Amino acid sequence: MSIIDGKKVASHIKDKLAAEVKILKTKTGKTPGLAVVLVGDDPASAVYVKNKNKTCTNIGFQSFEHILSENTSEDKLLNLINDLNNDDQVNGILVQLPLPSHISSKKILVAINPQKDVDGFHLENVGRLVTGNALFKPCTPAGIIKLLDEYKIEIEGKNAVIIGRSNIVGKPVSFLLLERNATVTICHSRTKDLSSLSRSADILIAAIGKPNFVTPDMVKNNAVVIDVGINRLDGKLVGDVDFASVSKQASFITPVPGGVGPMTIAMLMENTFQAFKNSL
Ligand code: NAP
């Protein structure tokens, strides 16, 4: 069994970006800018936002942090997005989800200029992704494909089973795998006989949000197992896969932490850099 080291791959990507940013800054005098908007004080979201800003600074991006109170109105948030859409220094806009319940995330996500939608959640960008014309691939799914490629894991012709059908992970990763000629099965909470489907997977992706949900009886021998889950259990971060037992039978497996997580931020930086280059 080999452990897929997402931290190492992400670190290479960020180093490469930092070098490219320097070169373009010398040529154009400009640097990429990412605006991150957080509404409310959810501690997990606050940590994500802090990490994104730190990564921006480390690789030479400008980082614009907008932290708004929990009771911010939808109109106020829409006005901010409008300002960011019109700000030439901002190449990427990320609104940290989930938003408070009085704000429609659908309305907010479609208000972002699709050219600055580095999360790839605008309906136009979702349509582009589904038709194989993505402007920006959603970060976590793009990170998963990058990890498979880095470890030279063949995708074409393989049975890929995804547990979870969210708009941010399950659905988009299924389209990216389909684009790479995998045969894709998407499972969810109403799936019947989940274990028999997951056991057919050459590549098994768990994006469920339930600690240690995937056990060895659900995994084929020598399968590639990608664990997207981030769960807190007894004060520790654990994935959706029972790593200790499943790692014994997988050919490749991502750990939590240090697997998919670091790749999400690296892909966000890549998308922002792409948006910056598109704007030049
Ligand atoms: P989500 O929106 O809550 O979706 C969870 C999915 O799991 C749903 O499709 C749900 O099915 C399915 N599910 C729940 N219980 C199930 C069961 N017993 N059997 C089969 N399917 C079941 O979650 P998400 O946003 O995709 O996130 C999933 C996990 O990944 C979370 O732990 C999250 O923190 C983590 N995550 C990590 C990253 C990263 O960067 N590493 C990024 C995003 C998310 P239904 O649709 O039928 O309800």
Side-chain angles (χ1 to χ4, degrees), residues 146-277:
K146 193 76 125 191
L147 283 179
L148 295 174
D149 286 344
E150 281 293 322
Y151 280 79
K152 306 208 177 339
I153 294 165
E154 209 180 338
I155 301 175
E156 182 160 322
K158 300 292 178 194
N159 283 341
V161 176
I162 299 136
I163 314 180
R165 56 172 163 180
S166 70
N167 289 337
I168 62 169
V169 187
K171 281 182 203 156
V173 78
S174 70
F175 285 112
L176 293 181
L177 288 162
L178 200 56
E179 197 177 283
R180 295 287 297 273
N181 300 319
T183 302
V184 176
T185 306
I186 308 174
C187 303
H188 47 79
S189 66
R190 320 287 164 86
T191 297
K192 297 234 168 18
D193 201 4
L194 177 65
S195 293
S196 77
L197 290 168
S198 64
R199 271 199 306 273
S200 72
D202 302 308
I203 300 171
L204 180 63
I205 299 183
I208 311 155
K210 294 200 165 146
N212 303 327
F213 182 91
V214 176
T215 45
D217 54 304
M218 300 171 70
V219 182
K220 183 162 95 173
N221 272 339
N222 291 322
V224 174
V225 179
I226 306 290
D227 189 353
V228 184
I230 302 178
N231 311 289
R232 244 178 215 287
L233 189 67
D234 304 328
K236 266 178 67 186
L237 278 191
V238 298
D240 289 344
V241 175
D242 183 23
F243 184 86
S245 57
V246 171
S247 58
K248 291 190 182 125
Q249 86 193 61
S251 57
F252 288 91
I253 188 164
T254 59
V256 176
V260 175
M263 292 301 291
T264 299
I265 292 197
M267 293 297 100
L268 174 68
M269 299 300 138
E270 271 209 356
N271 281 352
T272 304
F273 189 59
Q274 187 57 52
F276 169 67
K277 286 195 293 186

Side-chain angles (χ1 to χ4, degrees), residues 57-58 68 83 90 101 123 134 143 157 159 173 176 233 257 261:
T57 312
N58 287 346
L68 310 178
D83 290 345
V90 173
S101 55
L123 293 183
N159 283 341
V173 78
L176 293 181
L233 189 67

